[in-house]
Amino acid sequence: AAKSLVYGAGVRGAVVNGAGRVTVRARDANGNYAVAGGDPFRAYVVDASTGTGYADVTMTDNGDGTYSAEWSPASTGTEYELNILLRGTPVASSPYRGLKAVSAAGAATPAMFEAAGDGLERAVAGERATFRIEATDADGVGLAVGGSDLTVTLTWTPSTGGGLQTKTLAKKNAGDAGADDTDVVVDNGDGTYAVTYTVTAAVDHALDVREGVGSNAIGGDWPKNVAVTAGATDASRSSVDQTIRRSDDQTI
């Protein structure tokens, strides 16, 4: 539990009758990421000042080592506490105290936007990598509306040589043609953005995210280094070394 990660604007607050989104990323005792579901995470919220008003938060097992939850405050004027547990043990920095309930989120503040997901750190050549961005206000409360102009780029130098290569992902709205393709940033219309990309070169890539016309860095350290490993072996691209070596270590 202590090694698992918790992220999302829901650990800071939520709009009344909106959704405070939280994601748990399961890891083992050595910090290795889980690749399957099945862990009995649970969550609940209470009034931070009195400890009353207990309410369970439904956790959704995504089957890939991540667990999603949403909580929704009914009124302003109360600060909440969010508890996330695994077999009775607090997860990450739980309990999260002082969560705000606001009538409406403030203006978009790119420096507080949060990016999270495995695709920020690693990818497999030829396979889709993903991460999510959540737009927030200056207090880190989720905006719950779309419209942010996010530019995502990947930069790398091919192992075969040549100059620096750059790829900029396409921008789509949920439901658009091509929104389910790879190499896209999808505006879900609720303040979250799903990023999917596929790289083919098994070399490190620099990943950068900006809001606006390439000017505003979002929250976190950028660019990030994505470690890319080789994909599955392709027989048609493999080769056979026909050199024969004799027992006396001479080549025929």
Side-chain angles (χ1 to χ4, degrees):
K3 294 285 188 177
S4 295
L5 306 175
V6 175
Y7 49 83
V11 300
R12 292 178 292 275
V15 175
V16 170
N17 297 320
R21 298 181 181 86
V22 179
T23 299
V24 176
R25 184 64 176 97
R27 299 198 300 183
D28 67 14
N30 296 309
N32 299 306
Y33 289 102
V35 296
D39 290 310
F41 288 100
R42 60 181 291 261
Y44 65 91
V45 293
V46 294
D47 184 314
S49 60
T50 65
T52 61
Y54 175 95
D56 278 314
V57 176
T58 300
M59 300 286 294
T60 300
D61 185 342
N62 299 315
D64 59 359
T66 66
Y67 301 78
S68 302
E70 293 184 358
W71 69 279
S72 180
S75 61
T76 60
T78 300
E79 286 195 344
Y80 293 86
E81 175 184 293
L82 171 66
N83 292 265
I84 303 174
L85 307 172
L86 176 62
R87 300 183 182 91
T89 300
V91 176
S93 298
S94 178
Y96 295 91
R97 298 187 172 95
L99 278 63
K100 296 180 178 181
V102 298
S103 58
T109 305
M112 293 296 293
F113 287 13
E114 183 177 25
D118 294 357
L120 295 174
E121 301 178 9
R122 61 189 187 277
V124 176
E127 298 182 10
R128 290 189 175 204
T130 63
F131 64 94
R132 188 192 74 162
I133 300 168
E134 185 167 11
T136 64
D137 65 12
D139 292 322
V141 175
L143 296 185
V145 294
S148 293
D149 181 16
L150 295 171
T151 299
V152 178
T153 58
L154 287 156
T155 306
W156 71 100
T157 300
S159 59
T160 54
L164 199 65
Q165 305 290 308
T166 299
K167 173 164 64 176
T168 301
L169 306 192
K171 301 173 185 179
K172 302 281 186 178
N173 292 316
D176 286 353
D180 293 329
D181 293 345
T182 191
D183 294 341
V184 295
V185 182
V186 177
D187 183 342
N188 294 314
D190 60 0
T192 66
Y193 300 79
V195 182
T196 305
Y197 66 87
T198 302
V199 295
T200 57
V203 297
D204 287 0
H205 286 56
L207 171 67
D208 198 25
V209 179
R210 300 275 165 169
E211 195 280 334
V213 187
S215 57
N216 302 312
I218 69 168
D221 296 323
W222 302 93
K224 296 189 181 297
N225 183 73
V226 179
V228 182
T229 56
T233 301
D234 185 329
S236 67
R237 290 184 176 271
S238 299
S239 59
V240 177
D241 184 354
Q242 300 186 56
T243 300
I244 301 175
R245 186 171 295 278
R246 297 190 332 195
S247 60
D248 59 2
D249 209 32
Q250 291 185 351
T251 302
I252 299 175

